[in-house]
Amino acid sequence: MAKLGTVISLMDSPNTSKFAFVVNDDAVKLVRKGQFVEMQHETGTLVAAVNDIFRSNRYFERAESVAEYERAGMMSSHFPVNEWSYTIAECRIIGIFDGNALHRCSFPPAPGSEVVTVNEQMLEKYLGFRQNGLNIGKLLNHDVDVRLGLSKLFQKHVAILAMSGAGKSYLVSVLLEELLERKPEDGRIGVVVLDMHGEYANMRSACFPDRITVYDASKIRISTKNAQPEMFPFFHQLSGAQKRMLNAAFYEHKRKAALEHKFFTIKDLMIDIAGIDDKKAISTRDALLDHLDSLHKMKLFGKVDDPSVTALVKPGSISIISFKEIDSEKKKQLIVAYFARRLFNAIKKGKIPPFVLVVEEAHNFAAEGVKREEMLSKREIERIAREGRKFGASLCLITQRPVRLSTTALSQCNTHIILRVTNPYDIKHIGESSEGIDSYMLNSITTLKTGEALVVGEAVVQPVFVKVRKRKYEFNTGGVDLESLAREYEKKQAQKKEDVEAFL
Ligand SMILES: Nc1ncnc2c1ncn2[C@@H]1O[C@H](COP(=O)(O)OP(=O)(O)OP(=O)(O)O)[C@@H](O)[C@H]1O
Ligand SMILES: [Mg+2]
């Protein structure tokens, strides 16, 4: 335990939330922004974090005298300038540890108190890290593993917010490693990753191949029987008469299918509707058939769900659905909406174990300012956000545009992990939607390095800055840089030219 400095008396501090201390000359290298410190207090050990550090020197306070001395060239030779310099660290009080728990500070520390380095073994306790928690990395400035409790992190949902390239997907893969390594006695959950760019597919060959399954979303089939006409992408363009005709045919089929334990397809629906020969309804019928034909060609609706939700969610296993081969946003939203609904209904009925649904690019599936009818996935994601925790259905929402993410969904995420964000609108939004963030932390978000994160909310007693750990199982995410894309293009062009010349 090294001595760091002495608490000073200022106009507005020490009070019950902050204090400042003068840093001892020999401790200047030991005090860094963001680190934890402690001191003895009447009621226990007071724990605080360094918000900011200032340096001051009375010699340099008056511009005209500094200029005068500099001109005379006497400054450093005549005065012990360096000896007049001092460093002040401003701290926010986190709480007082009475031997059992951290309590709110209700009486300020005394000026003159000695500030010392924090006891790192105790720090884990102060911050509520769990031995069997998910280890996402080290506390910034300290040699302490950040272990977040599984329930604390996921039960009330988590949002990972950061600009592009700040390390969101990397952090997700670290979380996935931790989930895969959990022992059954610690509680294992199932994971479904909605992987928009096919980044996680290679994780399978790098670790636990028997517990990771990769699905190509373009090959997924949705059971027509379990669908609803509202899910069909064209539904909202239909006239009232068309909707009635579609609903009638659909629900008649569904009723029969349930009765006879059978399935039906879009083609079956089309055959039925084509059989309508009421003269007044012909134009309605034909328009509807056109729509259904395009839906049939989409090859998304089949007889049964493939994969089934029970195959998707297994304890300690990960299902990665790669949307790389799908271009249509509507189709992606449809698949997300369908599986989110099926998963939620299945867990409500106790058919599948607790799970977390990881949604990359969440702002495209639960967008703020878009009607729920126009984005079915939004309705389903918001439903899990609101009701999921009672049943063990959790969300991990990832976005590079927090402003565009549904506020209903974001506000239900009780833990926010924020990596670097520089967009002022996003920063403001994060400040408003993340509880316990102060202006100092908000400013720090803009200067985080790749892989550095601020964790706030349910999973931590106190907001903490974390250096996300390296992956244990490195794998290729399929990301390509601009240079290799450009080289690849030129190589292909040259090859083409050669081929043409050879042909001539
Ligand atoms: N904790 C870390 N340790 C080492 N490298 C990291 C870490 N976090 C991120 N990186 C590297 O930084 C790069 C960007 O990370 P990543 O792909 O996770 O960003 P992202 O936030 O998901 O970006 P996007 O919004 O574009 O999806 C990757 O090359 C990754 O390997
Ligand atoms: Mg990413």
Side-chain angles (χ1 to χ4, degrees), residues 164-165 167-170 197 199-200 360-361 398 400:
S164 186
K168 298 182 295 297
S169 305
Y170 195 98
H197 306 292
E199 288 172 278
Y200 300 93
E360 277 269 3
E361 316 271 345
I398 301 149
Q400 64 263 37

Side-chain angles (χ1 to χ4, degrees), residues 176 191-196 198-204 211-217 220 312 317-323 475:
L176 294 181
V191 184
V192 180
V193 182
L194 304 176
D195 177 8
M196 293 308 142
E199 288 172 278
Y200 300 93
N202 290 327
M203 190 167 179
R204 184 173 179 275
R211 285 201 275 134
I212 300 181
T213 317
V214 181
Y215 298 93
D216 176 352
I220 276 180
L312 278 179
S317 296
I318 297 180
S319 290
I320 295 167
I321 303 182
S322 166
F323 287 78
F475 65 91

